[in-house]
Amino acid sequence: PYPKLTYNPNHNTSSKGDDILAFKINENNIISLCLGEVKVISKYSNTTLNNAYSQLESSYKPHPKSLNLIMNYMYNINDSLVFELEKLLVPEKFKSLRKDNWIFIISGNNPNKLEINKEINLDNLKIVSFPISDLNNFINELYDSCGEFYND
C-alpha cells in the first residue's frame, strides 16, 4: 500500500487520481490491474453511484491517473517493477491486460437498489455497498486511529 496523501499539497482535501490502483504480479510481470472508486456519503443516492462509475470510466483515458505517481515513488526502490509499470503506458499492452473494476459505496443508509443508468463499458465491474448506521462516528474513529501518520 502506498498513501498518496504523502504528496498532496493540501492534506485537508482529497488527492487527485484513482482511489484504488493495485496490480497482480507473477514472476515480475504485471498480469492484471484493479482499479476502484470509493464514495462516502451520508445518504445513498443513485446519482452518487453513477458519478463513481463515470469517474472510474474516465480513469482509463488513456491510463490510470495514479500510474505516474506510483512509478515516481518506486524509482530506486524496485526498478524492475517500474519497468513493468512503464510497459502499461503502451496502449496495446494496457488494452490486453486483465482489468478488475470496483465501486465501493459507504453510506449512512442501506441502498434499496444499486443501478447504473448508462451502458456499462468496464470489464469485471463489481459494486459493493457498506451501510454504516453511525457514519460520522465511524469516520471520526477512522481518522483518530491514523494517529500521527498524516500529521505534518
Side-chain angles (χ1 to χ4, degrees):
Y2 169 65
K4 67 181 179 175
L5 286 176
T6 303
Y7 293 103
N8 188 0
N10 184 350
H11 288 269
N12 295 320
T13 63
S14 61
S15 295
K16 303 301 176 218
D18 313 294
D19 291 340
I20 299 168
L21 178 59
F23 308 95
K24 186 172 185 178
I25 300 171
N26 185 3
E27 297 180 15
N28 289 330
N29 294 311
I30 296 174
I31 59 173
S32 69
L33 171 135
C34 174
L35 196 59
E37 184 67 29
V38 180
K39 295 294 179 196
V40 179
I41 52 173
S42 59
K43 185 174 181 184
Y44 173 78
S45 75
N46 216 37
T47 302
T48 303
L49 175 61
N50 283 279
N51 288 343
Y53 177 81
S54 294
Q55 285 179 298
L56 188 59
E57 195 174 40
S58 74
S59 290
Y60 287 103
K61 296 176 183 169
H63 51 73
K65 297 172 190 78
S66 300
L67 191 56
N68 288 329
L69 178 69
I70 292 172
M71 285 189 308
N72 287 337
Y73 179 77
M74 294 302 295
Y75 276 114
N76 300 321
I77 295 174
N78 186 335
D79 289 336
S80 63
L81 179 57
V82 172
F83 180 71
E84 285 299 308
L85 292 170
E86 286 174 337
K87 289 180 185 177
L88 299 182
L89 299 176
V90 177
E92 293 78 24
K93 171 67 175 171
F94 189 73
K95 280 185 177 181
S96 67
L97 191 66
R98 176 186 165 82
K99 297 168 194 77
D100 293 292
N101 296 282
W102 291 83
I103 296 175
F104 292 94
I105 303 289
I106 302 169
S107 63
N109 65 326
N110 195 1
N112 295 331
K113 191 177 185 182
L114 296 168
E115 184 177 337
I116 295 176
N117 299 330
K118 58 167 69 174
E119 181 181 343
I120 295 178
N121 297 314
L122 297 176
D123 296 331
N124 307 313
L125 177 64
K126 293 154 194 81
I127 302 169
V128 180
S129 171
F130 292 101
I132 299 174
S133 59
D134 191 356
L135 185 59
N136 285 337
N137 188 46
F138 171 77
I139 291 170
N140 289 335
E141 286 183 24
L142 187 63
Y143 276 100
D144 290 345
S145 69
C146 291
E148 296 179 18
F149 186 70
Y150 287 111
N151 291 343
D152 292 332

